Amino acid sequence: MKIDNQNYESILCKTYFSIVGSNLTTEVTLDQICEEAKISREEAEKIVPKNSLEYKYFFLKILISQLDKEVLTELKEDLADDIISSTYDKILEGLSLRFEKYLEFKKALKILSNNTKQRVEVFFNVFQENYFFTTNLLNLVEGEKNFGRRTLKSIVLNIIFLKGLEMFLKNESKEIDPVIRTLDKYLGDFEDIGLFMGLIKKESKR
């Protein structure tokens, strides 16, 4: 069966993160990835950057994009018949589900961002992916039509996400309850400010 580039990307990406998580290092060669993934170097070279220093963000962007698609698909299904949850609850669920997807790759993600400086670098390198996720999340849960308000909300949600990421990487357990509490706290603060500024429409209390 012929495998297209997108499937090769997915296989190489998961293999890369598996090696990083197992070997606890970002110094991964293309030969290592190809051997583990059982893909020829010739095929891999058509996809991955020539500079191995770029692997980190190349594969990270692919991973986040794939996981985000899964999150939004699952969330859309969960919310299809939901007439009870508030917009706040739906956004919190979407952000929480995102971190649940990250759990499988937590060890590798910690290696890729083992200090504050690296975490900030990771955040800004995948900002576009984060922006797409938050705007799609907002469209899904509230259908915000105003581009300006949607952009402002998306930027704030990215900041809230970064706060959650700090807790996610700092927390040693496999539980995400501390992350959800962090998200809830900062999302609540934003809701209060957003209501005051008119960015968020008032709805019934949770």
Side-chain angles (χ1 to χ4, degrees), residues 45-58:
E45 285 178 340
K46 296 176 183 177
I47 300 169
V48 302
K50 294 181 179 180
N51 186 348
S52 62
L53 296 176
E54 297 177 24
Y55 292 171
K56 175 179 178 178
Y57 297 121
F58 174 77

Side-chain angles (χ1 to χ4, degrees), residues 51-195:
N51 186 348
S52 62
L53 296 176
E54 297 177 24
Y55 292 171
K56 175 179 178 178
Y57 297 121
F58 174 77
F59 287 121
L60 188 58
K61 289 178 181 181
I62 293 173
L63 179 70
I64 289 177
S65 179
Q66 290 176 343
L67 295 181
D68 285 350
K69 286 179 183 177
E70 293 176 15
V71 170
L72 292 169
T73 298
E74 290 182 24
L75 187 63
K76 185 176 182 179
E77 293 174 357
D78 289 345
L79 300 181
D81 301 315
D82 186 349
I83 58 173
I84 300 175
S85 299
S86 67
T87 298
Y88 182 103
D89 292 327
K90 293 173 183 178
I91 290 175
L92 180 60
E93 182 181 350
L95 293 175
S96 300
L97 183 57
R98 200 182 194 205
F99 280 105
E100 287 180 16
K101 292 288 183 182
Y102 284 6
L103 277 175
E104 180 184 350
F105 306 94
K106 184 174 183 177
K107 188 181 291 185
L109 291 173
K110 289 184 74 169
I111 299 300
L112 294 176
S113 51
N114 62 10
N115 57 54
T116 302
K117 181 182 177 182
Q118 287 187 350
R119 283 194 284 277
V120 171
E121 287 177 355
V122 166
F123 175 77
F124 281 108
N125 272 276
V126 298
F127 182 81
Q128 185 176 39
E129 284 71 22
N130 288 334
Y131 176 77
F132 286 154
F133 174 78
T134 51
T135 52
N136 284 325
L137 176 61
L138 289 168
N139 286 335
L140 179 62
V141 303
E142 67 176 13
E144 175 62 79
K145 302 297 183 182
N146 185 286
F147 178 78
R149 281 201 301 265
R150 189 173 65 230
T151 299
L152 284 173
K153 290 179 184 180
S154 178
I155 291 171
V156 172
L157 289 183
N158 270 288
I159 294 171
I160 293 171
F161 168 76
L162 186 58
K163 294 291 185 181
L165 184 62
E166 286 281 347
M167 177 57 70
F168 178 79
L169 296 172
K170 183 171 68 175
N171 182 33
E172 295 298 331
S173 73
K174 292 185 177 180
E175 301 295 326
I176 66 164
D177 287 347
V179 178
I180 295 175
R181 287 195 293 271
T182 298
L183 294 172
D184 194 19
K185 175 190 181 305
Y186 286 100
L187 194 57
D189 291 343
F190 169 58
E191 184 182 47
D192 293 339
I193 296 171
L195 285 170

